[in-house]
Amino acid sequence: MISTRLSVIDEIFLRTHRGYGIPIALQGIWRSSDTVSRHELGRVHDDLALGHLGRTVAKPRIPGARLRWDISTESFPLEYGTDAVDDIIEWADGQADVPLDPQYGPGWRLTAAPLAHGGTVVSLVCSHALADAHGLINAAAQAFSSNSAPAPVLHPGSDAKDAISMILTVLVRSIAATAKLWVSKKARAELRAFTTADTGGVAPHRARQMRAVIVDIDAAEWDSAAERVGGSANSLFVSVVAATMSELGSPAVTVDIPFRTGSGDANPIGMATVAVRGDDSPAAIRVACKTAFGAPVGAPAGYPPEIVQLLPHRIAAKLTSTPGRGEVLCSNIGDIPRAVTTLGPHRSCGLATRAIHPDPRGTESTIRMSTYISRLNGSYTLSLVSTDDDLVGSSAELASAVQRALATRNLAGKPW
């Protein structure tokens, strides 16, 4: 069931468009070795407008009610460039440099361009408030397969009822949490750490320029490397990212690992945080991740997370700057659906998923590196994005660090 109200996580991403944190846009980069016509992409564009991305945020009429989703088919027009693209990543980096706005619209954009060596590259970006990575991929899958019936948007119901429910939920659970403070030393410690802004020693950096790398790794070799050392595909991913950070001068890092909660929210994700070193084995990281998933990031001491939805943006942003508390994000997107592998008669020869940051200059973030991995056509595609110039001076430096990190696991990546 699709939620018609914004969750706490949804609102965190919405606030980044209002100056509270670094703006985040999700991006899928799809490429084919042959030419996709403007007409074919026009049909995809029209279907996307009718699907899951075709909505905007609406304010409730009653104070205390949550923000709600409304249907909206407004979109940026399809942009099909005429200049051939030689550097795919450089081209893709600029595709969210438009005022994406999930509240007033448009919140997504579809663009394409011919490739210098033949073929077509396509970018689909959307505000992270509209969808998580799986939501963006599913929207693309429906549009690619001409199966984009209007997204089922349920009636949000009475604002008054929602406000009453929210206030009662926050009041009852806050009273219970406050009472618990009298008897629980652990609860008091959790609240003390939260109110003193304990971020595990992670200081925010001021973003200046985005550096990005995308590499493909043979899936059979990746899985074999993980199995040999008693790890999993996911723990090997975290291990390689930690090793990359070590190559860049950060031998010990805290890593946020998102997981799906199964809710119907736009961003149905929880967040676990684990401390890792660049020389930790995938087996050790696998154990650490399992423990972290048992204690995900959340509101402290039993207080309801929904309390921030009753507060002004400025105060809510201070309490929930990001969904996690690490300096590195490792998001495993998993297998890409078969429906996205083809667009009409055209077959994908590469697909990357990641988050990018439209005009990040001057904004602050505790996330120094965000990384993503997905699997398609026998390859894992690893995407890394950094906005911390003190960590990464150039994309070439990042690419070199990734290759050295892969080599520690007897792997090699093919750069895009």
Side-chain angles (χ1 to χ4, degrees), residues 8-359:
V8 173
I9 302 296
D10 299 340
E11 289 195 22
I12 289 175
F13 293 126
L14 175 63
R15 283 192 290 272
T16 67
H17 294 274
R18 302 292 173 260
Y20 300 104
I22 187 169
I24 304 174
L26 296 181
Q27 182 179 47
I29 310 168
W30 186 96
R31 56 193 178 102
S32 175
S33 57
D34 52 6
T35 300
V36 181
S37 71
R38 174 182 287 274
H39 174 75
E40 290 168 310
L41 286 173
R43 195 249 332 142
V44 171
H45 180 275
D46 293 344
D47 284 353
L48 285 168
L50 298 175
H52 183 70
L53 302 183
R55 55 183 182 167
T56 53
V57 175
K59 290 185 177 180
R61 297 181 178 87
I62 303 296
R66 293 169 295 170
L67 298 171
R68 66 175 186 267
W69 293 109
D70 278 356
I71 296 175
S72 173
T73 58
E74 182 181 3
S75 64
F76 287 103
L78 168 66
E79 183 176 312
Y80 201 128
T82 55
D83 294 335
V85 170
D86 185 56
D87 189 327
I88 293 177
I89 299 177
E90 182 180 8
W91 174 85
D93 287 348
Q95 299 314 300
D97 287 343
V98 292
L100 293 174
D101 194 325
Q103 185 163 359
Y104 302 108
W108 62 275
R109 185 190 192 203
L110 181 69
T111 57
L115 291 171
H117 301 290
T120 307
V121 59
V122 179
S123 164
L124 174 61
V125 295
C126 78
S127 162
H128 206 329
L130 284 180
D132 68 347
H134 285 270
L136 179 68
I137 292 168
N138 288 338
Q142 289 184 337
F144 276 32
S145 60
S146 302
N147 189 29
S148 286
V153 178
L154 303 178
H155 192 279
S158 164
D159 285 344
K161 287 184 179 179
D162 191 71
I164 292 171
S165 175
M166 278 286 290
I167 292 170
L168 286 176
T169 295
V170 169
L171 184 62
V172 171
R173 292 178 61 186
S174 294
I175 291 173
T178 302
K180 186 179 178 182
L181 293 177
W182 290 92
V183 297
S184 173
K185 183 182 293 186
K186 180 181 178 182
R188 292 195 297 271
E190 285 183 9
L191 185 61
R192 189 180 307 113
F194 185 83
T195 55
T196 55
D198 180 5
T199 60
V202 180
H205 70 275
R206 190 168 293 279
R208 292 188 289 275
Q209 186 172 350
M210 196 170 71
R211 317 288 191 183
V213 169
I214 302 175
V215 296
D216 289 332
I217 306 102
D218 182 86
E221 293 181 5
W222 182 279
D223 292 339
S224 177
E227 185 179 358
R228 281 197 307 269
V229 293
S232 63
N234 191 59
S235 67
L236 178 58
F237 167 43
V238 177
S239 170
V240 167
V241 171
T244 300
M245 291 295 291
S246 183
E247 293 287 345
L248 293 168
S250 294
V253 292
T254 52
V255 178
D256 283 339
I257 305 174
F259 59 89
R260 291 181 66 79
T261 62
S263 69
D265 302 321
N267 291 279
I269 54 176
M271 197 75 72
T273 302
V274 60
V276 297
R277 295 185 59 85
D279 55 0
D280 284 347
S281 70
I285 292 175
R286 186 178 192 178
V287 173
C289 288
K290 185 176 181 180
T291 301
F293 287 132
V297 176
Y303 280 90
E306 294 87 355
I307 195 170
V308 298
Q309 294 183 280
L310 300 178
L311 301 175
H313 277 327
R314 179 177 57 83
I315 299 175
K318 288 184 177 180
L319 295 174
T320 56
S321 58
T322 66
R325 55 179 179 233
E327 58 190 303
V328 176
L329 175 73
C330 286
S331 181
N332 189 339
I333 309 302
D335 291 331
I336 299 298
R338 184 181 298 273
V340 187
T341 61
T342 56
L343 198 172
H346 312 288
R347 185 170 181 81
S348 172
C349 62
L351 189 149
T353 54
R354 61 179 189 163
I356 55 177
H357 309 288
D359 193 17

Side-chain angles (χ1 to χ4, degrees), residues 213-217 240 244 247 382 384 396-416:
V213 169
I214 302 175
V215 296
D216 289 332
I217 306 102
V240 167
T244 300
E247 293 287 345
L382 178 62
L384 302 95
E397 180 185 1
L398 178 56
S400 179
V402 172
Q403 294 292 2
R404 292 196 301 271
L406 287 169
T408 65
R409 305 300 181 201
N410 296 316
L411 294 167
K414 180 181 178 182
W416 276 40

